[in-house]
Amino acid sequence: MGKLVMIPGPTPVVDSIRVEMGREIQAFGDPNFVKDYKEVIDELGVMFGCNGKTFVVAGTGTLAMEMAIANSTKKEDNVLIVSNGFFGDRFIDICERKGLKADVLKAEWGKRIAVSEVEAKLKEKKYAAITVSHVDTSTGVVADIAGIGEVMKKFPDTIYIVDGVCSTAAHYENLAEMNIDILFTGTQKAFGVCPGLLMLWANDKAMKRRASLGTIPEFYVDFDKWIPTMDDPIKYFATPAVNLVWALKESIRLIKAEGGLKPRYERHLKNARAVQKALLALGFTLLAEEGCRAVTLSNAIYPEGIVDADFRKIIMEEGMVVAGGLGAYAGKLFRIGHMGNITVNEMVTALGIIERTLMRVGKLSKPGVGVGTYLEEMGKK
Ligand SMILES: *Cc1c(COP(=O)(O)O)cnc(C)c1O
């Protein structure tokens, strides 16, 4: 068996999804594939409450960020960026390269920007768009997407863009219920598929904004280029990633089999709080403050005396891969993903590996507290 991949994306891919990746290729015009592609697009639209268009396109989450900005803004527009970490900041670069005027609300890492602060800032001037990362993977902080959505009702001329790359299909999201105008994600995070596809939902308001822009400078990410294909996938614009679409179709089937997005969130919530309690019991602290901790990953700050490089090398020897810290937290913490189709068995293995690693670096004398805490929490009704 290979190593248990517990980075915050890609996450472990279950066999039924993996099998789809290995299927014999079909032409993208094959009626069977066209039907599957259409089904994926339509089901995603319904599942996330989108009254506009749903796009399923080859590319990663970063391309989706660019797609969101490209189709909702024009040069010189004001954009408000709400940043709770590294991925929030990535929007600054994207916006500045497009010649947008970006204002940034930056949270101290581990905390989140309050809804009231967002509202106050939106009142200052006319913003073409606002971006918020639902979960910032660098900090493990979850933003109040529904709360900001309430405020957005007062700003009908601003497009509300939500980066769901580390949240969609784990944290609950719905465009209609939360007043989100554009939501996007990548397949490798909470959908539990291999990397390679982006999904982007744009409601009617966002589609009207796109129409008002006329011809935009970008080509591959232009909504207008993709709309004919999304409406009828027999039409070619750029080659669809056939096997990834099948893999995504299986992932959607699994979400439905689980009862939909709400039960899926409940499962993630219970698992995450148990993992987080176990990490605290093992002597780690969590970067994200209580009250704004994501359910998709945990960022565990090392106790005094642990060297990051040694710790992650030993974890690797014990059979698991976790991610390091970003920015100012490089060397100070490790990040463990627990999203998608992750199982209790995999979590127990992961915590066992963390315990063995702690023992090898001399930071745990008696094993069991991590796994024990986790199992106790998971056993609660
Ligand atoms: C991973 C991630 C991205 C970047 O996605 P890629 O697929 O790596 O391009 C963007 N935003 C968030 C919140 C992420 O977690």
Side-chain angles (χ1 to χ4, degrees), residues 60-63 65 87 90 133 135-137 163 165-166 188-189:
T60 72
T62 306
L63 189 70
M65 295 171 85
F87 287 102
R90 181 168 278 190
S133 315
V135 170
D136 203 299
T137 322
D163 174 348
V165 181
C166 200
Q188 81 274 27
K189 306 242 174 137

Side-chain angles (χ1 to χ4, degrees), residues 103-133:
D103 288 345
V104 189
L105 283 173
K106 251 190 219 251
E108 188 188 322
W109 279 32
K111 299 181 194 299
R112 68 178 177 190
I113 297 290
V115 175
S116 57
E117 255 182 281
V118 175
E119 179 165 11
K121 195 76 191 165
L122 284 169
K123 281 180 181 155
E124 282 180 13
K125 61 175 98 150
K126 195 169 173 251
Y127 286 101
I130 173 177
T131 70
V132 186
S133 315

Side-chain angles (χ1 to χ4, degrees), residues 83-86 89 107-111 138-139 141 287 326-329:
S83 177
N84 294 320
F86 178 88
D89 288 353
E108 188 188 322
W109 279 32
K111 299 181 194 299
S138 62
T139 60
V141 166
L287 174 55
L326 294 171
Y329 283 90

Side-chain angles (χ1 to χ4, degrees), residues 39-292:
E39 241 175 73
V40 163
I41 294 161
D42 290 349
E43 285 188 3
L44 285 171
V46 172
M47 191 176 270
F48 288 89
C50 181
N51 67 1
K53 296 282 175 197
T54 303
F55 300 86
V56 177
V57 168
T60 72
T62 306
L63 189 70
M65 295 171 85
E66 202 151 356
M67 190 170 191
I69 294 295
N71 289 280
S72 56
T73 62
K74 60 179 188 308
K75 210 172 162 171
E76 306 285 323
D77 275 350
N78 295 312
V79 176
L80 178 58
I81 295 166
V82 178
S83 177
N84 294 320
F86 178 88
F87 287 102
D89 288 353
R90 181 168 278 190
F91 267 119
I92 304 173
D93 226 5
I94 292 173
C95 288
E96 283 177 350
R97 283 180 184 222
K98 193 177 156 68
L100 301 168
K101 293 182 207 140
D103 288 345
V104 189
L105 283 173
K106 251 190 219 251
E108 188 188 322
W109 279 32
K111 299 181 194 299
R112 68 178 177 190
I113 297 290
V115 175
S116 57
E117 255 182 281
V118 175
E119 179 165 11
K121 195 76 191 165
L122 284 169
K123 281 180 181 155
E124 282 180 13
K125 61 175 98 150
K126 195 169 173 251
Y127 286 101
I130 173 177
T131 70
V132 186
S133 315
H134 196 166
V135 170
D136 203 299
T137 322
S138 62
T139 60
V141 166
V142 59
D144 184 356
I145 293 302
I148 296 172
E150 270 310 301
V151 164
M152 292 312 295
K153 287 181 181 165
K154 298 182 200 168
F155 302 93
D157 297 330
T158 305
I159 299 290
Y160 182 20
I161 299 172
V162 175
D163 174 348
V165 181
C166 200
S167 61
T168 308
H171 281 278
Y172 183 73
E173 290 163 342
N174 185 288
L175 277 84
E177 290 167 25
M178 298 174 171
N179 303 312
I180 299 168
D181 298 312
I182 297 180
L183 172 71
F184 59 81
T185 191
T187 38
Q188 81 274 27
K189 306 242 174 137
F191 274 84
V193 178
C194 297
L197 281 183
L198 65 86
M199 287 159 262
L200 184 145
W201 296 262
N203 72 2
D204 265 349
K205 180 174 147 189
M207 296 313 294
K208 284 199 185 92
R209 170 64 63 81
R210 169 64 195 91
S212 76
L213 296 174
T215 304
I216 59 171
E218 298 83 358
F219 188 77
Y220 183 77
V221 293
D222 185 354
F223 286 174
D224 278 359
K225 293 287 175 202
W226 286 104
I227 289 168
T229 311
M230 296 302 111
D231 287 347
D232 180 4
I234 191 97
K235 293 188 180 134
Y236 168 81
F237 168 55
T239 310
V242 174
N243 290 60
L244 279 168
V245 170
W246 282 329
L248 178 57
K249 180 167 183 268
E250 173 58 12
S251 163
I252 293 166
R253 191 191 66 77
L254 292 173
I255 294 170
K256 292 203 298 190
E258 194 173 352
L261 293 176
K262 279 182 175 158
R264 192 169 168 93
Y265 168 68
E266 292 303 327
R267 172 173 63 80
H268 276 85
L269 178 65
K270 185 171 190 183
N271 181 65
R273 295 301 173 252
V275 173
Q276 287 157 359
K277 200 162 177 182
L279 289 169
L280 292 170
L282 286 169
F284 297 97
T285 50
L286 296 168
L287 174 55
E289 281 187 344
E290 207 174 346
C292 61

